[in-house]
Every structure is written in C-alpha cells, then in structure tokens.
Amino acid sequence: SLDLAQLSGVERTLHGRMMIHIDQPGGKAGDFVLAQATGPARADSGAPEGTTAMYRLRIAGHRDKLGDRLDTLMANYETWVDADNNGETDWLTDCWKNSEVVLPRAQWACVQWSFDAENNALRYWLDGQEITALRVDGVHDFCENADTQQGRWTAPERFAELHLGIEQYHEDAVPRTLYIDDVVV
C-alpha cells in the first residue's frame, strides 16, 4: 500500500506499471484484486459523505465450459460506506467490465494502468498491448446495484492510496504466490 500524498501530481491522474509473476492461478477459485486506487467519493456522485470510491484491476475467476476457472482480467469500480457503523455496506456500486484476456501463468508479465479522475476513465495494458475491452469512460457493463449512482463509474475526488498485490475475499480460494517487481507510479 502506498499513501499517494507522498507523491506529487498523481492525485487526479495516476499511471503505473508493475511486473508480476503468479503461480498457476487457473482453477484456484475466486476473484482477486491486483491493483486498486482509492479515495474519497466526489460530492457530485451522489454518494453519502464518508464514501470511498475504488478503481481496480481484478482477476475474474470465471468458469469455462468444462467448469475450470479461467483467470481473466477485468476492470472494477466499487464504492463503500458504512454510514451507521454497523459493519454493513450502505452505499455499494460494484460495477465491472470483463475481458477474455487471461493472466499469464507461471511467467513474468507487465501490467499497466491509467486512472483518470478528471474524465472518469480507466485503461489497462498487458505486456504493452491495451486491453480495449477494459476501457472505461464513465460507463458500465454491469453494476450489482445499478440504482446506486445510476451505474456511473465516478472517480474519487482524488486518488489517496494505491494498493498492489492480492486481495482475496473468497472462502474457497487456496493460497497463491505472487511476485511483484519493477513498480513504477
């Protein structure tokens, strides 16, 4: 995790890349996050005060026709607030765009991202090739809670933190080994 207040010029536009190497991710179950930029939600998004907005590069653990998991790259937008402090999400968007691009297994790959708060835009690249299916300009393919923010991917007011690595939140997932090197922000 990186507090972006330490870096100048990345609060509204955040570009980065990293080399990653993950052990055989196929069949290991569940979605997980590789890169996530967070910050306070913009007032014009309609989100309640105290809401955190997140731009993410995730792995979608979809199943193929044989039932095996495929680790395809996906763009994700999510908001989170627990206004009444009861431990439950009171304002949740959870929007995503999927691709057919599979994360390379047991080899080094270069993952790049560009988060643009001014234009509510996200871009991703794998080994220098843009993943155009993940290009987002404030519009969604699907939102779990479509009424929240009318499905808009409204960027944070400013990018406050950057998190790199695996955030795994499925109980059926087994441990994975991920190496990260040559991070540039």
Side-chain angles (χ1 to χ4, degrees):
S1 294
L2 178 63
D3 178 356
L4 295 175
Q6 301 172 20
L7 303 175
S8 63
V10 298
E11 299 86 15
R12 303 292 293 156
T13 306
L14 177 63
H15 304 282
R17 75 165 189 259
M18 63 182 171
M19 296 298 295
I20 62 170
H21 184 285
I22 191 164
D23 66 338
Q24 299 292 328
K28 300 270 182 147
D31 302 348
F32 64 92
V33 177
L34 283 175
Q36 173 178 292
T38 65
R42 293 197 326 226
D44 64 357
S45 72
E49 188 174 331
T51 299
T52 298
M54 297 169 252
Y55 276 5
R56 295 173 161 168
L57 173 61
R58 289 180 51 185
I59 302 303
H62 299 294
R63 295 190 184 276
D64 67 10
K65 60 185 174 189
L66 300 176
D68 293 327
R69 290 239 181 225
L70 299 174
D71 288 333
T72 56
L73 294 169
M74 69 182 282
N76 179 231
Y77 170 74
E78 194 162 356
T79 54
W80 172 269
V81 70
D82 179 11
D84 51 13
N85 296 314
N86 66 359
E88 296 180 18
T89 304
D90 298 324
W91 185 270
L92 178 66
T93 50
D94 200 9
C95 303
W96 59 84
K97 284 186 76 117
N98 290 309
S99 77
E100 297 299 319
V101 177
V102 177
L103 182 67
R105 299 174 183 188
Q107 67 184 36
W108 284 100
C110 182
V111 175
Q112 295 172 259
W113 61 88
S114 175
F115 300 147
D116 181 350
E118 295 292 329
N119 298 301
N120 298 316
L122 296 84
R123 303 277 186 279
Y124 298 104
W125 294 261
L126 179 64
D127 291 329
Q129 297 295 312
E130 184 177 4
I131 306 168
T132 56
L134 299 184
R135 185 181 294 173
V136 175
D137 290 302
V139 223
H140 69 285
D141 274 8
F142 179 82
C143 291
E144 185 110 349
N145 299 296
D147 292 340
T148 305
Q149 293 183 198
Q150 293 74 49
R152 291 174 298 153
W153 294 43
T154 306
E157 179 64 36
R158 70 188 185 306
F159 296 113
E161 295 179 321
L162 176 65
H163 307 278
L164 304 175
I166 293 179
E167 176 194 15
Q168 178 64 62
Y169 39 85
H170 290 279
E171 293 178 15
D172 63 344
V174 297
R176 300 171 190 237
T177 300
L178 171 70
Y179 297 100
I180 298 175
D181 200 359
D182 298 330
V183 176
V184 176
V185 178

